[in-house]
Amino acid sequence: MKVALPKYMMILAIAGLSSRSCRAFAPTLTRSYTTTIGATSSSRLFSAAAEVDEQQAPVAPKKKVRTRRILSGVQPTGSLHLGNYLGAIKQWVEFQNTGKFADAEDLDGKSFDDEKKDENVEIVNENFFCVVDLHAITVPQDPGDLEESTLASAALYIAAGIDPEKSKIFVQSHVPAHSELAWLLNCATPMNWLERMIQFKDKAKKAGTESVGVGLFTYPVLMAADILLYQADRVPVGEDQRQHLELARDIVRRFNGEYCKGNPYKKRCKKAGIPSFPAFTEPEAMIVKAGGARVMSLTDGTNKMSKSDPADGSRINVLDPPKVIRDKIKRCKTDALPGVEWDNPERPESTNLLNIYAAVQPGRTREDILEEVKDMKWGEFKPLLAEAVVAHLEPIQKRYAEVRADEEYLRGVLKEGAEAADAIASKTLKSAKVAMGFSVPH
């Protein structure tokens, strides 16, 4: 099952500033902390004959530095497909390089505007992108495939443009705080909250409740733990993760209300040597779109592209060879109506293929594309789309082969990323354990 960014997209995370400084960051948009950059001073010039005072130079105002963090991840099961790439990884690269998502809105449908200019504030982003292997095992995995899928996903992150010099890449299970906090939150979350989760109901219905593991039922709590460990105040997620974000917010209110109030809590914090802030920040959802729209199945334009679909022809995998991509697009479902058009509810496949065509050509406008293809027949448009997809994925596939071939480098990147993530996550975990009354090492 997919987290999306989830999917989690995961997407957990993303950009934003908080009004007060904090001891931890959040997955994208994170809580922020502030430091100061020094100012210049006037100087004096001396000569052998006389001392001349220069006119005092204006003192530059002290500059605040606000740090915000983004944490996001995708499941390693199967091969990452075009929907994962366009809806998650490509968005991460954009945030890494520009500090914002191309298309994101809040729960009320309003666009985010986090870049209000302030000459006295410097924004510094911390980016964490993980392979969420703990989420992958909510359905049975072949032990012989899971490790390779995990490493391949991490290599694809780098190939797609995630730069280890700018962002940290790690494997979720390499940071033990994720699973430990998930257990603490499981014990604090009412069972009936999880029974309301639509995704569990849908997946359990398809698989049969007798074959569904407990992990599938409780995985929204693990997702909440992923988010809360990094103190995110805003979390970019896919539309299908909206309900899970709302659950995370409910868990924060319940936990902070039960464990983080009153003098006893302050005394526990003082004894442990940590601030007596509430253990968790309540996150706000940032609904991030894949180039303005979701990427749908090639065999059914009303269902999203998915790794769990048994039909491989329903998706374009990022590592599919050019011939396979051309064949899948040639056979993809279309309709018998003339022309190609966007946003006709009676023609979901037309909208989906145009969305893909636009997404792999980010420099073009919808108007420009429509002018080019509006009068085409499917037999003309499909080859055009296939070549655009092949051209877009070709450099990613080439870079992937280079990264995956150098396993020492790849594992080094993951080790460095896990160490950086653990330094943040372990502090939040300690705060949660102190709040609940655990004895923690000093």
Side-chain angles (χ1 to χ4, degrees), residues 29 71 98 109 259:
L29 275 311
L71 169 74
T98 69
Y259 298 111

Side-chain angles (χ1 to χ4, degrees), residues 140-386:
Q141 300 297 321
D142 183 338
D145 295 337
L146 183 58
E147 181 179 25
E148 174 54 33
S149 294
T150 299
L151 294 174
S153 295
L156 268 176
Y157 289 5
I158 298 172
I162 299 299
D163 183 352
E165 296 297 320
K166 299 178 180 178
S167 305
K168 300 302 181 183
I169 303 170
F170 70 99
V171 177
Q172 183 187 23
S173 64
H174 293 183
V175 181
H178 285 262
S179 52
E180 187 170 355
L181 182 60
W183 174 250
L184 300 185
L185 297 183
N186 271 329
C187 295
T189 302
M191 192 168 175
N192 68 331
W193 288 7
L194 299 179
E195 291 172 340
R196 297 196 296 263
M197 298 295 104
I198 295 173
Q199 279 200 9
F200 170 75
K201 292 179 180 179
D202 291 344
K203 293 179 182 294
K205 184 177 181 180
K206 292 178 181 178
T209 54
E210 293 184 359
S211 63
V212 170
V214 174
L216 185 60
F217 182 67
T218 62
Y219 106 87
V221 179
L222 174 59
M223 180 176 169
D226 297 332
I227 297 169
L228 302 183
L229 279 172
Y230 298 87
Q231 301 293 349
D233 57 19
R234 292 180 190 167
V235 178
V237 296
E239 177 66 36
D240 60 340
Q241 295 297 315
R242 182 188 295 256
Q243 190 182 36
H244 293 161
L245 238 299
E246 293 172 348
L247 174 68
R249 289 160 60 89
D250 289 339
I251 290 173
V252 169
R253 296 187 195 110
R254 182 181 178 89
F255 189 97
N256 287 348
E258 289 192 5
Y259 298 111
C260 303
K261 289 184 177 180
N263 288 328
Y265 171 64
K266 293 180 180 179
K267 290 180 180 178
R268 292 197 298 274
C269 290
K270 184 177 181 180
K271 181 179 179 181
I274 63 174
S276 57
F277 299 138
F280 304 122
T281 299
E282 184 174 325
E284 179 182 356
M286 259 181 119
I287 308 301
V288 178
K289 299 181 180 180
R294 297 170 71 187
V295 179
M296 311 305 282
S297 168
L298 296 182
T299 56
D300 181 356
T302 63
N303 289 325
K304 69 180 181 179
M305 191 174 285
S306 171
K307 287 185 286 186
S308 62
D309 191 322
D312 187 60
S314 68
R315 59 188 167 269
I316 296 172
N317 300 308
V318 176
L319 297 180
D320 278 344
K323 184 179 185 305
V324 173
I325 293 174
R326 295 185 181 104
D327 288 344
K328 286 181 176 180
I329 292 178
K330 182 178 181 179
R331 296 193 300 267
C332 73
K333 181 181 177 181
T334 52
D335 54 44
L337 298 176
V340 184
E341 61 180 324
W342 247 306
D343 301 330
N344 183 340
E346 302 299 320
R347 306 186 68 188
E349 286 77 24
S350 178
T351 294
N352 183 44
L353 296 182
L354 277 173
N355 284 337
I356 294 173
Y357 190 57
V360 297
Q361 300 179 97
R364 300 185 64 184
T365 65
R366 283 170 61 113
E367 292 74 17
D368 175 41
I369 289 172
L370 273 179
E371 183 63 29
E372 176 192 16
V373 307
K374 63 182 179 180
D375 297 323
M376 286 186 177
K377 297 178 180 179
W378 288 117
E380 299 171 299
F381 177 68
K382 284 184 176 182
L384 193 68
L385 171 61

